[in-house]
Amino acid sequence: MRHEQEFIDGLYARVDALRGDTETAVGTALAQGSTPMQARLERDILVAERSGLLAALDAVDGSLCFGRIDLTGGTTHHIGRIGLRADDTERTPVLIDWRADVARPFYLATGHTPMGLRRRRHIATDGRTVTHLHDEILDLGDQERTGHEDHDGDAVLLAALNSARTGRMGDIVRTIQADQDRIIRAPHRGVLVVEGGPGTGKTAVALHRAAYLLYEHRELLARRAVLIVGPNPAFLGYIGEVLPSLGETGVLLATVGELYPGVKATATDPPEAAAVKGRAGMADVLAAVVRDRQALPDPVVTVEHEREVLMLDDGLVAVARDRTRAAGLPHNVAREHFEGHILNTLTELYAERVGTDPYDGSSLLAPADITQIRDELAENPEVWSAIDQLWPRLTPRRLVADFLADPAGYVPDADAAAIRRPVTRHWTVADVPLLDEAAELLGEDDRLARARAERDRDTQIAYAQGVLDVSYASRTYEFEDKDEEDSEVLSAHDIIDAERFAERHEEADHRSAAERAAADRTWAFGHIIVDEAQELSPMAWRLLMRRSPTRSMTLVGDPAQTAEAAGVGSWADILTPYVEDRWEHTRLGVNYRTPAEIMDLAAAVVRAGNPGFEPPSSVRSTGVRPWVRDAGDDLPGAVAKAVAELTPAEGRLAVIAPRELHRSLAAHLDGVGAGPEPDLTHTVVLLDPRQSKGLEFDSVLVVEPARYGTSDLYVALTRATQRLGVLHTGALPQALAEAAAGS
């Protein structure tokens, strides 16, 4: 114990020194301003690494080092959340990053396959104080004993599993299992599907995989960032501290409802509307909506020019429209081509009207005259009014809002009734993929923005020239009475021109890659991780695939837990349209969260509709069976009583109930609120089944299970790590009633 304490003391002395150096390095890098591309990339990587290091040091709560491996040759390595060297000149780290290859035996070695290890030591700390050592002997021929040996190789894992929950997901860096390690370190190219039932640690594996990829491919991913997509805001808050505790900040966490810049959609549609909006066919529907905005005259559009009335009929406009569409460009980008065709058509009409010899029909106009007529038409407001009518500039928000306000004719009547709503500024999660699809169909006509940027740049250059001129004038005045040698001293005017001077003073963009990605709809991420992937609709997958042109993705989920009406569920159905069969599938089959007693009850519910269902195997049993009770006539009172019974001395309790009951239940629970973004750090939290996805609590109370679908009920029943209670007022689902009676 004393030796390890001395090591930890030395480690934190280095940490304290490094913290000051890191803060200085980040501040210097951010102050560098605009730099050439490669230098800027190096700066961004430095900021990412150093900022991540600071985040890790702030988040580890004293547990920076958690293990040691002793090799048979006598070498010893300490394992930690990040790698640290004794000083900047030392090449061999004193603390090995858990992601380094040399650390891998800490997770994989067994007595049967020791991987060159003599022993493995788990180090527990409280702050900077070592509190416990746990040694596993891997070389059975080694006779040395330390007094910290424990023959139960699962003791550290079980201690972590039985610890009280905090309302925030903890990392599993101390207890990564062999099957999890293989997934975490899998190559990052291509699509990897990680399937697993409740409690198998698939979310934790995905987060640690993100940390590993950022470690292995720092330069690429610091530039492109990693996107992690979660099912709801509560889930993102729950996992939000995991990656910072591992030293990684180059990650964007978002729900699908946050993947369109400027929109944060948290509202949800009724299941029928969500299902319609999520169908892949909505892409064709929106394309048809856009085509219908490319109008033909009914019957003509007139333009008055120089006292001549020019008429654009449907035939003339159809030719311009067809030629424009043939270019295959997005609507707003293609408008420039349409403008050109219409101007040419109007020029021909006008030239024919005023420039034709009445006797022989020959043209009286020279090419220069034709060019002048076109230029004059381009300055006629009526021309642009006609173009706006025939090929208007469109925004994604207006297009989608107008379509949802009047979807008739584009979708069947029943679907139209499901999705119809008045024009509103409030968006639902299912609207966001429609907005993204619309943005893709419309594109952006950036001519005005480019012109504005050019004007701003000219202004900056003019200002810079003025500064240089003042500098030159001052130098001329200073040296007019001095000798020739002094007058040869160079000034700023001699070594830099106004354009470069303006560039050096352009405001640098100091945002991280993740921050820039959040504001850019067209950003291509280096890697994307999707949790609860089975719940995403086909339209949501179209959005995500645009963000991943390299198809470097990790998808995490469980088809048995599919609850969303628009969810795809099948991995093949999700991926075949994009990568055909070029994807890998792996499954986690061990349940680390849910005790066997609770898992048996939950599995019985699913087996009622799917007799062949095989749940993940629980690694532990608590001896505490779940209970099921009739709440009688006073449901809120029964819930309050059950909460008092189930609330742990340490840890968290979740009350999972239908959303429509939340207000009445919250009124009977002290300090418990009802809302779309619950605070999971409270001792008691009120959720609906969808909000509880991916979360875990020490105790869970499930209310009115008959109101849930099978998938929602399965999710709700598998959130507890220790105790589960069920309250109902009406009849129970048959499978739950039979399972409860059998227990």
Side-chain angles (χ1 to χ4, degrees):
M1 187 83 73
R2 178 181 177 183
H3 172 77
E4 297 296 359
Q5 186 61 62
E6 291 174 350
F7 174 81
I8 295 294
D9 290 342
L11 193 65
Y12 277 99
R14 171 60 176 153
V15 164
D16 291 339
L18 190 59
R19 188 188 300 273
D21 294 343
T22 298
E23 291 171 344
T24 300
V26 171
T28 301
L30 290 177
Q32 287 178 349
S34 181
T35 61
M37 182 178 296
Q38 184 59 36
R40 179 166 181 166
L41 172 60
E42 293 173 357
R43 186 203 71 190
D44 287 349
I45 293 173
L46 171 65
V47 171
E49 289 179 336
R50 293 284 186 151
S51 297
L53 178 58
L54 284 176
L57 298 179
D58 290 338
V60 295
D61 192 27
S63 57
L64 186 60
C65 173
F66 55 81
R68 193 182 89 182
I69 52 176
D70 298 349
L71 282 64
T72 54
T75 303
T76 295
H77 295 303
H78 282 83
I79 312 299
R81 298 171 184 274
I82 57 176
L84 287 176
R85 291 178 170 81
D87 56 57
D88 292 333
T89 63
E90 181 66 36
R91 299 193 62 179
T92 303
V94 294
L95 184 66
I96 303 293
D97 193 297
W98 67 275
R99 297 165 287 191
D101 285 341
V102 71
R104 199 168 190 191
F106 182 79
Y107 301 108
L108 300 184
T110 65
H112 185 266
T113 309
M115 300 179 70
L117 298 193
R118 210 165 40 86
R119 74 177 57 232
R120 169 172 46 217
R121 168 169 287 179
H122 297 269
I123 302 172
T125 57
D126 181 7
R128 301 187 177 192
T129 303
V130 177
T131 59
H132 183 70
L133 303 178
H134 173 93
D135 287 350
E136 297 176 67
I137 299 173
L138 299 173
D139 181 359
L140 300 181
D142 184 358
Q143 299 301 312
E144 180 185 350
R145 295 295 180 267
T146 64
H148 303 291
E149 289 79 13
D150 190 335
H151 296 292
D152 184 359
D154 292 330
V156 174
L157 173 63
L158 292 174
L161 298 179
N162 286 316
S163 62
R165 270 43 188 177
T166 65
R168 292 288 181 262
M169 175 181 275
D171 62 68
I172 59 169
V173 67
R174 299 167 174 265
T175 58
I176 294 171
Q177 302 300 292
D179 58 340
Q180 298 172 331
D181 182 83
R182 284 188 288 271
I183 295 171
I184 289 169
R185 297 173 188 265
H188 88 289
R189 295 295 182 186
V191 178
L192 175 65
V193 173
V194 182
E195 183 178 328
T200 53
K202 55 188 181 294
T203 297
V205 167
L207 294 173
H208 287 70
R209 175 164 168 75
Y212 173 76
L213 293 177
L214 285 161
Y215 173 82
E216 279 290 292
H217 308 283
R218 177 71 63 194
E219 182 170 335
L220 170 65
L221 296 183
R223 183 173 66 250
R224 301 310 314 166
V226 172
L227 170 64
I228 296 179
V229 180
N232 54 59
F235 175 84
L236 295 181
Y238 177 65
I239 68 172
E241 296 177 3
V242 174
L243 286 167
S245 77
L246 299 174
E248 299 301 344
T249 57
V251 177
L252 175 63
L253 277 68
T255 65
V256 170
E258 297 170 319
L259 289 178
Y260 189 86
V263 171
K264 184 178 181 181
T266 57
T268 57
D269 285 293
E272 299 81 6
V276 173
K277 292 179 180 180
R279 292 174 189 160
M282 287 302 298
D284 295 330
V285 169
L286 290 175
V289 173
V290 172
R291 286 195 299 271
D292 284 351
R293 299 300 190 272
Q294 299 162 0
L296 294 177
D298 183 22
V300 296
V301 171
T302 61
V303 173
E304 183 176 349
H305 184 69
E306 299 291 341
R307 299 182 182 178
E308 296 288 339
V309 177
L310 308 176
M311 290 185 292
L312 293 169
D313 60 26
D314 58 353
L316 292 173
V317 175
V319 171
R321 185 178 69 174
D322 291 345
R323 289 177 177 174
T324 301
R325 286 177 174 175
L329 297 173
H331 173 88
N332 288 331
V333 179
R335 176 180 157 117
E336 183 176 4
H337 293 262
F338 184 77
E339 294 169 359
H341 291 308
I342 293 298
L343 281 170
N344 290 339
T345 299
L346 290 171
T347 300
E348 292 173 4
L349 290 174
Y350 186 80
E352 184 178 357
R353 184 81 57 84
V354 303
T356 302
D357 190 312
Y359 297 103
D360 60 13
S362 62
S363 175
L364 301 176
L365 302 175
D369 298 324
I370 301 295
T371 300
Q372 182 178 349
I373 291 171
R374 193 182 191 280
D375 291 344
E376 290 171 351
L377 282 165
E379 296 178 358
N380 186 337
E382 288 195 24
V383 172
W384 295 107
S385 177
I387 291 173
D388 288 341
Q389 179 181 338
L390 299 170
W391 197 288
R393 288 188 176 91
L394 300 173
T395 66
R397 299 190 194 198
R398 174 53 59 184
L399 184 80
V400 173
D402 288 348
F403 162 68
L404 294 176
D406 184 17
Y410 293 104
V411 295
D413 291 345
D415 292 346
I419 64 175
R420 183 181 289 111
R421 72 166 186 236
V423 174
T424 176
R425 294 183 179 181
H426 298 289
W427 300 100
T428 68
V429 174
D431 292 335
V432 168
L434 302 186
L435 290 168
D436 194 75
E437 188 72 28
E440 197 72 11
L441 291 166
L442 297 177
E444 184 177 355
D445 185 353
D446 63 350
R447 286 177 291 170
L448 293 177
R450 284 189 282 112
R452 189 180 303 111
E454 189 64 30
R455 287 196 301 271
D456 291 344
R457 178 172 172 76
D458 289 344
T459 300
Q460 292 171 352
I461 292 174
Y463 177 78
Q465 185 64 58
V467 172
L468 292 175
D469 289 345
V470 170
S471 171
Y472 180 73
S474 299
R475 173 180 174 275
T476 302
Y477 176 79
E478 179 182 353
F479 287 109
E480 62 182 2
D481 294 330
K482 300 203 175 179
D483 58 31
E484 183 177 347
E485 182 177 347
D486 287 338
S487 67
E488 293 300 319
V489 177
L490 294 177
S491 70
H493 195 282
D494 299 311
I495 60 178
I496 191 170
D497 59 23
E499 185 172 354
R500 293 194 176 187
F501 189 49
E503 286 178 356
R504 293 187 63 177
H505 288 79
E506 287 179 358
E507 184 176 352
D509 186 352
H510 294 316
R511 294 176 301 169
S512 68
E515 291 169 331
R516 294 196 297 271
D520 185 354
R521 190 193 70 82
T522 64
W523 190 273
F525 288 90
H527 193 80
I528 295 179
I529 292 174
V530 185
D531 204 299
E532 302 293 349
Q534 77 282 348
E535 303 288 8
L536 269 60
S537 70
M539 288 300 294
W541 283 112
R542 287 177 65 86
L543 179 156
L544 286 178
M545 290 299 175
R546 292 189 190 103
R547 307 296 197 274
S548 180
T550 62
R551 303 294 189 261
S552 179
M553 308 178 82
T554 301
L555 311 183
V556 180
D558 179 14
Q561 297 184 62
T562 304
E564 296 292 342
V568 177
S570 163
W571 303 122
D573 289 346
I574 291 171
L575 295 171
T576 298
Y578 303 102
V579 297
E580 297 180 344
D581 61 351
R582 299 185 303 276
W583 51 281
E584 296 184 31
H585 177 273
T586 186
R587 182 171 179 82
L588 294 168
V590 178
N591 187 334
Y592 298 101
R593 175 204 304 142
T594 316
E597 295 85 354
I598 296 176
M599 198 65 214
D600 290 344
L601 181 70
V605 171
V606 181
R607 285 201 185 102
N610 179 10
F613 173 71
E614 287 296 333
S617 302
S618 297
V619 299
R620 64 195 176 99
S621 174
T622 61
V624 180
R625 305 198 68 81
W627 52 257
V628 179
R629 297 174 187 166
D630 190 322
D633 297 330
D634 182 13
L635 179 63
V639 168
K641 182 178 179 181
V643 165
E645 174 186 343
L646 287 171
T647 301
E650 294 183 31
R652 301 293 181 268
L653 164 69
V655 178
I656 303 177
R659 179 65 66 88
E660 60 269 21
L661 298 179
H662 281 200
R663 288 189 179 277
S664 62
L665 296 182
H668 289 74
L669 300 173
D670 291 340
V672 177
E677 298 188 28
D679 185 348
L680 300 178
T681 62
H682 286 181
T683 301
V684 180
V685 62
L686 183 59
L687 308 167
D688 66 34
R690 306 290 172 89
Q691 289 176 311
S692 72
K693 271 185 171 291
L695 310 182
E696 61 181 33
F697 304 89
D698 300 86
S699 301
V700 169
L701 176 64
V702 177
V703 180
E704 295 289 37
R707 299 194 190 185
Y708 307 162
T710 299
S711 294
D712 283 340
L713 182 54
Y714 181 53
V715 168
L717 294 174
T718 54
R719 300 304 97 194
T721 65
Q722 301 294 337
R723 296 199 294 167
L724 170 69
V726 179
L727 280 177
H728 64 99
T729 57
L732 285 170
Q734 183 177 352
L736 182 58
E738 293 175 355
S743 65

